[in-house]
C-alpha cells in the first residue's frame, strides 16, 4: 500500500478565524502600569475553555502560540508591540493534549509541555493547522494522582528544555520525577533531574546568566510559599518528593518565603529584560497565580556560612493585579513590555477562567527598593532613586516585624515569635535610621539583629523629588554576614 499520502497532512478541521477587539487599558490612580487585554474568544464554536497555561512569541512578535489547560493550542495574530492593539485574529491549531501548561517556540516550531510528554506540533502541508503531534520527549513519569502537574517550558542558551514536575498531594512519591526540575536535551533524546524537593513548582524562570528559578506552594512539608534559586542537586524541603537512598534531615533555603496573606500561590519568575518597564533592567519578578499580583524580588548570594543557605532576599508587591491567576510571562523584544497569561483552575482569589494581557509601563518614574542586605546591627535597603533625608532618618518611618515557621509534615505552618516560640510576630525596636551620602541607601539600625524565616519592613518614605513611597517589604534572613550596617551604608563598601 502507498502510505505516502498519509504523511502529507489533511484538510483543516478548524478553518474558522475568530476576530476579537483588544481593550486598551488605563492605569489606576497612582499606578505606573496599565493592563491591555489581548481579548480571547470565550464564545467560540468549539466550546473550548480558554484557560491559558503558557505562551510564546513567533519571530517578529506580532503572533503568539498559546495553550489552554484543557488541551488546545491557539495562534493569535495582531499583537502590535509598542502600539495600541485593535483587531486580533485567533485560530485553533491543535487539541487533545494532556493538560498543557507550557509553550516554547524554537526556530519557528511549537513545543508544548504536557503532563505526559513534550509535544512538537508539525504542520505538514502549510495550511496553518497541526497535522502531526510529534513525541519530542516522553520520559515523563505519570501516575494517576491529580496533583502531579508538568509546569512550564523554558530553554537555556544551549537549547536544552526545562520543566517542573509536581509531587503528589499528601502522599509519598512513586516515581523518581515526583517533585523535581527536569532538563531535556536539545534533541529530546534524554532527560535528567536537576533538583528536587518541590511540592508544586508552578513555573521555571531563566536568568540572563543561565540561572534557574522556581516557586513552590505552601502545603505538607512546605511551611509557606517560597521562591527558589536552583542549584544542581538542591533539595527544597518536600519530603514527599523522591529520594535516592536515605531521606535528608535538612533542606536548602529559598531566596525568600512568601506569607500566604501576600501570595497564596506563586507561579513563574521572569527577568526584566528591558529598560522600558519601570523596574531596573535585569530585575527579577514573580507572578502570582493565587492573587493575580506581581512581586519584585531582590536577592544576595551568601554562600559559605551555612551549608543549606546560599542565597537570601526580599520582595515587595507591584501595583498590578489581574482578574485571573497569572501563570506565565515573557518580555517582548519589540516593545520591552511584559505579556502574561493565566487561568483559574484550582484555589485562587482571582476567579476569571483565563486571560492574556500586556502590562505597559506608563509612569515617568517608579522608585522601588533594589537591594536588601542583612548586617549584624540591622538591615540596609537600597532604592532606585535618592530618598528624602528627613523621613529616611526618622525611626517612625519604619515598622519591623520578625517571625519563624515550622518545617514539618503538617499542611503549612503558623507564625511563631522568635522571642518565646509562641504564635505571632515579634515587633522589633529600631534604634535609629541612617541615610547614605548618595541618599539611595538606608541603614535601619537594629542592634543584634536576629535570623528569621520572615521579616516584614513597612516603610513610609518620599524620594528627593517628592514621590511618596509607602510599601511592605517581606524578606528572609537565614544567615547574617559578618558586617556592619555602617560599613554597608555606602555602596563602595559592599
Amino acid at each position: 500500500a502507498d502510505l505516502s499520502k498519509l504523511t502529507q497532512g489533511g484538510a483543516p478541521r478548524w478553518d474558522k478565524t475568530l476576530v476579537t477587539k483588544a481593550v486598551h487599558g488605563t492605569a489606576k490612580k497612582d499606578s505606573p502600569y496599565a493592563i491591555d487585554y489581548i481579548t480571547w474568544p470565550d464564545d467560540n464554536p468549539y466550546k473550548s475553555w480558554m484557560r491559558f497555561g503558557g505562551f510564546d512569541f513567533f519571530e517578529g512578535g506580532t503572533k503568539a502560540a498559546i495553550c489552554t489547560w484543557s488541551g488546545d493550542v491557539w495562534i493569535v495574530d495582531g499583537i502590535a508591540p509598542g502600539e495600541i492593539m485593535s483587531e486580533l485574529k485567533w485560530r485553533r491549531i491543535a487539541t487533545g493534549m494532556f493538560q498543557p501548561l507550557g509553550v516554547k517556540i524554537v526556530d519557528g516550531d511549537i513545543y508544548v509541555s504536557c503532563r505526559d510528554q513534550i509535544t512538537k506540533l508539525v504542520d505538514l502541508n502549510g495550511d496553518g493547522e497541526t497535522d502531526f503531534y510529534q513525541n519530542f520527549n516522553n520520559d515523563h513519569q505519570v501516575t494517576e494522582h491529580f496533583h502531579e502537574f508538568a509546569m512550564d517550558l523554558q530553554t537555556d542558551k544551549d537549547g536544552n528544555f526545562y520543566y517542573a514536575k509536581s509531587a503528589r498531594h499528601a502522599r509519598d512519591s512513586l516515581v523518581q520525577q515526583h517533585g523535581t526540575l527536569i532538563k531535556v536535551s536539545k534533541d529530546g533524546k534524554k532527560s535528567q533531574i536537576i533538583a528536587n524537593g518541590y511540592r508544586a513548582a508552578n513555573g521555571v524562570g531563566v536568568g540572563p546568566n543561565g540561572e534557574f528559578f522556581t516557586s513552590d506552594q505552601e502545603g505538607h512539608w512546605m511551611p509557606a510559599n517560597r521562591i527558589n534559586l536552583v542549584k544542581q542537586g538542591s533539595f527544597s524541603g518536600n519530603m514527599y518528593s523522591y529520594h535516592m537512598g536515605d531521606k535528608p534531615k535538612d533542606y536548602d533555603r529559598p531566596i525568600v518565603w512568601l506569607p500566604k496573606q501576600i501570595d497564596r500561590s506563586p507561579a513563574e519568575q521572569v527577568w526584566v529584560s528591558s529598560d522600558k518597564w519601570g523596574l531596573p533592567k535585569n530585575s527579577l519578578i514573580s507572578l502570582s497565580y493565587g492573587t493575580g499580583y506581581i512581586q519584585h524580588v531582590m536577592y544576595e548570594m551568601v554562600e559559605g556560612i551555612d551549608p543549606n543557605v546560599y542565597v537570601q532576599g526580599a520582595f515587595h508587591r507591584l501595583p498590578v493585579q489581574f482578574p485571573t491567576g497569572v501563570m506565565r510571562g515573557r518580555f517582548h523584544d519589540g516593545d520591552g513590555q511584559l505579556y502574561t497569561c493565566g487561568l483559574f483552575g484550582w484555589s485562587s482569589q482571582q476567579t476569571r477562567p483565563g486571560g492574556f494581557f500586556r502590562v505597559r509601563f506608563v509612569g515617568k518614574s517608579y522608585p522601588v527598593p533594589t537591594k536588601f542586605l542583612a548586617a549584624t546591627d540591622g538591615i540596609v535597603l537600597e532604592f532606585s532613586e535618592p530618598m528624602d533625608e528627613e523621613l529616611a532618618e526618622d525611626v517612625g518611618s519604619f515598622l519591623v516585624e520578625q517571625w519563624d515557621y515550622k518545617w514539618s509534615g503538617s499542611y503549612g505552618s503558623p507564625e511563631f515569635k522568635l522571642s518565646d516560640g509562641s504564635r505571632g510576630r515579634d515587633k522589633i525596636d529600631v534604634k535609629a535610621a541612617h541615610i547614605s551620602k548618595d541618599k539611595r541607601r538606608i541603614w535601619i539600625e537594629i542592634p543584634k539583629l536576629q535570623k528569621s524565616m520572615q521579616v516584614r519592613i513597612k516603610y513610609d518614605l518620599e524620594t528627593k523629588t517628592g514621590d511618596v513611597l509607602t510599601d511592605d517589604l517581606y524578606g528572609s534572613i537565614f544567615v547574617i554576614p559578618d558586617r556592619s550596617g555602617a560599613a554597608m551604608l555606602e555602596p563602595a563598601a559592599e
Side-chain angles (χ1 to χ4, degrees):
D2 179 11
L3 303 182
S4 62
K5 63 181 181 180
L6 301 179
T7 67
Q8 306 304 313
R13 291 185 289 169
W14 314 296
D15 56 355
K16 289 184 169 58
T17 297
L18 309 180
V19 179
T20 63
K21 175 79 171 177
V23 176
H24 192 69
T26 57
K28 293 184 178 179
K29 182 182 179 182
D30 299 327
S31 175
Y33 296 100
I35 299 176
D36 299 330
Y37 282 54
I38 304 174
T39 312
W40 49 98
D42 271 330
D43 184 14
N44 59 78
Y46 321 116
K47 302 189 184 301
S48 177
W49 201 355
M50 307 298 275
R51 300 179 297 172
F52 301 121
F55 76 99
D56 201 6
F57 296 109
F58 289 94
E59 185 177 358
T62 61
K63 292 198 304 182
I66 187 166
C67 66
T68 73
W69 191 29
S70 300
D72 280 3
V73 173
W74 292 69
I75 301 295
V76 54
D77 196 357
I79 290 174
E83 302 176 9
I84 296 177
M85 288 181 283
S86 181
E87 186 176 89
L88 299 162
K89 296 179 179 179
W90 291 76
R91 185 176 173 191
R92 187 197 213 187
I93 66 161
T95 193
M97 286 176 284
F98 189 5
Q99 293 186 354
L101 289 172
V103 171
K104 185 67 180 176
I105 296 174
V106 179
D107 296 330
D109 294 324
I110 304 170
Y111 296 81
V112 186
S113 178
C114 307
R115 199 152 157 168
D116 56 343
Q117 67 178 30
I118 298 175
T119 303
K120 180 180 177 181
L121 304 183
V122 182
D123 177 8
L124 294 171
N125 57 14
D127 65 359
E129 186 172 300
T130 299
D131 299 297
F132 177 38
Y133 296 74
Q134 178 183 337
N135 165 30
F136 179 72
N137 177 279
N138 68 350
D139 292 343
H140 294 41
Q141 298 171 343
V142 184
T143 74
E144 84 295 342
H145 198 268
F146 77 97
H147 200 261
E148 56 173 77
F149 310 106
M151 298 285 202
D152 212 348
L153 191 61
Q154 304 288 358
T155 54
D156 63 17
K157 61 181 178 58
D158 297 320
N160 301 300
F161 293 81
Y162 296 81
Y163 69 95
K165 176 71 171 179
S166 297
R168 302 202 303 166
H169 174 74
R171 296 183 182 182
D172 211 348
S173 60
L174 293 178
V175 296
Q176 292 185 13
Q177 290 184 351
H178 277 148
T180 59
L181 176 66
I182 298 170
K183 174 183 178 180
V184 176
S185 60
K186 181 179 180 180
D187 59 8
K189 293 183 178 180
K190 60 183 179 180
S191 62
Q192 67 181 102
I193 294 172
I194 300 298
N196 79 335
Y198 305 123
R199 180 176 174 269
N202 186 3
V204 180
V206 184
N209 299 311
E211 313 96 321
F212 284 90
F213 301 85
T214 65
S215 62
D216 215 340
Q217 321 297 316
E218 179 193 57
H220 301 281
W221 292 109
M222 204 59 61
N225 302 292
R226 55 183 281 165
I227 296 173
N228 309 301
L229 173 60
V230 180
K231 288 184 70 174
Q232 178 83 36
S234 59
F235 170 64
S236 291
N238 180 19
M239 299 294 280
Y240 287 142
S241 65
Y242 185 83
H243 306 283
M244 189 75 73
D246 295 337
K247 291 191 175 185
K249 300 282 194 287
D250 205 345
Y251 64 97
D252 293 316
R253 305 308 190 261
I255 295 173
V256 63
W257 295 104
L258 294 83
K260 61 185 176 183
Q261 308 96 315
I262 304 302
D263 190 346
R264 59 183 291 180
S265 186
E268 183 184 88
Q269 287 67 57
V270 186
W271 276 88
V272 179
S273 60
S274 160
D275 57 5
K276 303 175 182 178
W277 200 69
L279 295 183
K281 187 177 180 179
N282 289 334
S283 296
L284 179 65
I285 61 173
S286 179
L287 308 178
S288 173
Y289 167 82
T291 64
Y293 278 104
I294 301 174
Q295 326 291 354
H296 171 218
V297 183
M298 301 149 278
Y299 67 92
E300 178 189 19
M301 303 305 296
V302 287
E303 297 172 288
I305 303 174
D306 183 314
N308 293 113
V309 179
Y310 50 89
V311 66
Q312 63 189 18
F315 74 92
H316 69 101
R317 178 181 283 176
L318 301 186
V320 180
Q321 188 177 29
F322 302 90
T324 190
V326 190
M327 296 283 282
R328 310 286 174 252
R330 298 191 188 276
F331 278 88
H332 199 294
D333 291 339
D335 60 10
Q337 303 304 299
L338 175 66
Y339 292 70
T340 67
C341 76
L343 60 85
F344 171 64
W346 51 92
S347 181
S348 173
Q349 292 171 205
Q350 303 305 101
T351 57
R352 185 159 185 164
F356 192 20
F357 313 96
R358 175 172 66 186
V359 186
R360 283 182 294 110
F361 179 67
V362 297
K364 295 180 180 179
S365 67
Y366 181 37
V368 293
T370 56
K371 287 189 178 181
F372 170 88
L373 306 168
T376 55
D377 52 5
I379 298 168
V380 174
L381 301 181
E382 181 176 290
F383 293 87
S384 59
E385 296 184 17
M387 307 304 293
D388 175 77
E389 184 173 356
E390 183 178 355
L391 284 173
E393 296 194 328
D394 180 359
V395 296
S397 298
F398 304 94
L399 167 69
V400 180
E401 298 174 328
Q402 286 186 281
W403 64 96
D404 274 339
Y405 303 108
K406 183 180 180 181
W407 177 53
S408 75
S410 299
Y411 192 100
S413 170
E415 297 173 354
F416 295 101
K417 294 181 179 180
L418 309 185
S419 55
D420 59 11
S422 64
R423 292 196 179 191
R425 303 178 179 184
D426 284 310
K427 184 176 179 180
I428 307 302
D429 292 331
V430 177
K431 179 180 178 181
H434 315 269
I435 194 167
S436 61
K437 291 178 182 177
D438 68 0
K439 313 303 181 189
R440 293 181 63 235
R441 286 195 173 189
I442 300 174
W443 165 32
I444 303 170
E445 187 177 355
I446 303 170
K448 297 182 179 179
L449 176 71
Q450 296 185 72
K451 297 183 292 184
S452 64
M453 294 173 77
Q454 201 83 76
V455 58
R456 175 197 180 201
I457 303 174
K458 183 177 179 62
Y459 52 82
D460 192 349
L461 302 167
E462 287 185 8
T463 66
K464 287 283 287 183
T465 56
D467 290 326
V468 176
L469 197 58
T470 302
D471 212 340
D472 278 289
L473 183 147
Y474 292 86
S476 294
I477 304 174
F478 305 115
V479 297
I480 299 178
D482 186 14
R483 61 194 183 190
S484 70
M488 297 294 294
L489 193 58
E490 302 304 328
E494 186 179 330

